[in-house]
Amino acid sequence: MRNFTSVADVTDINALVNEALELKKNPFAYSQLGKQKTLGLIFLNPSLRTRLSSQKAATNLGMEAIVMNIDKEGWALETRDGVIMNGTTVEHIREAAGVMGQYFDVLGIRSFPGLQNRDEDYSEDILQKFIQFAKIPVVSLESGTRHPLQSLADLITITEHKIKARPKVVLTWAPHVKALPQAVPNSFAEWMSQADVDFVITHPKGYELAEEFTTGATITHNQEEALENADFIYVKNWSAFHDYGKILSTDAAWLLTNDRLKTTNQAKVMHCLPVRRDLELSAEILDGPNSLVIPEAANRVFAAQVVLKKILEANF
Ligand code: CP
């Protein structure tokens, strides 16, 4: 593995999940693998889980992790080529990424979409430029269109908790007051399409995700129908893809409550976090026996650790 930016960077997702579960049993088995190697974690946006789980994963492998919140601590970055930098930007991504490539062995980048210009966001311009100019292996810590470390942790969690070989997994849209990216649902759909699950997506009309991510999924606007016999429910808000970045609904009828679980197969409920209680997901579910949100977040460490292990083994 050179870079980890999507499921396409993985040759065998089941083998990767099993390897992550082995690391979970014995987190320090490879504590010499990353000795004298440095992981740079560069955040253009806020984070709790991604930052801390990546640091922990690096530590478990003997790597040193250096974190920079470049949006607050760095020079304002210019990402466009051919512009005279006489405005507010101070440093070009060509030099910034090039310098990081000198300091680090592996680079993690978080860069959210602006949700203003779909073509720009879906081109993954910033992530691709870091790959191009840093010239070292790059791990996506969530980009314009995907959040692969989250999706890998989600698949690890489903694998750990499933009680049948091929569970029914439902991704349901949830209400929110802010326009959120499509990266988590895109990525989850992309990973589920390759996993051994029956995958259903439910959302209000207008919230269709880009087709490239939803191949093979059953898509319905009827949440009640979607939830029947569900084994896992993945709750997430996203803004519209087609009417790009818009909030088309805040309908509280889409809020998942214990009552909605009655027709499910005692479904386990997942969310990537952070979550707004009683807006996006009910407190009664978050505090109840069906919630997997904390074990899911715990698995972020082993998702990051198995990816870093693969990169270290393949490149050094
Ligand atoms: N799920 C997730 O990526 O959490 P953070 O934004 O806190 O990193």
Side-chain angles (χ1 to χ4, degrees), residues 57-92:
T59 303
N60 288 352
L61 291 169
M63 296 182 88
E64 183 181 0
I66 296 176
V67 179
M68 184 177 191
N69 299 307
I70 199 167
D71 57 327
K72 299 179 189 72
E73 299 160 356
W75 301 111
L77 274 189
E78 179 58 65
T79 60
R80 299 165 298 171
D81 277 325
V83 294
I84 298 169
M85 288 171 56
N86 59 1
T88 55
T89 56
V90 178
E91 176 150 43
H92 202 278

Side-chain angles (χ1 to χ4, degrees), residues 47-50 110 147 150 272-274 300:
S47 170
L48 186 155
R49 280 143 291 272
T50 305
R110 167 165 281 197
H147 194 355
Q150 180 65 54
C272 63
L273 304 180
R300 291 292 307 271

Side-chain angles (χ1 to χ4, degrees), residues 51 54 104 165 175 183 208 211 234 236 238 262 273 280:
R51 171 181 174 149
S54 300
F104 306 135
E208 289 73 18
E211 277 181 32
Y234 199 91
K236 186 73 184 85
W238 63 89
K262 283 180 182 158
L273 304 180
E280 200 182 358

Side-chain angles (χ1 to χ4, degrees), residues 37-42 63-68 96-109 134-137 316:
K37 296 284 180 289
T38 306
L39 171 67
L41 295 168
I42 306 300
M63 296 182 88
E64 183 181 0
I66 296 176
V67 179
M68 184 177 191
V99 169
M100 289 174 195
Q102 301 299 306
Y103 298 158
F104 306 135
D105 300 287
V106 182
L107 185 60
I109 297 290
K135 297 185 171 63
I136 56 174
F316 300 101

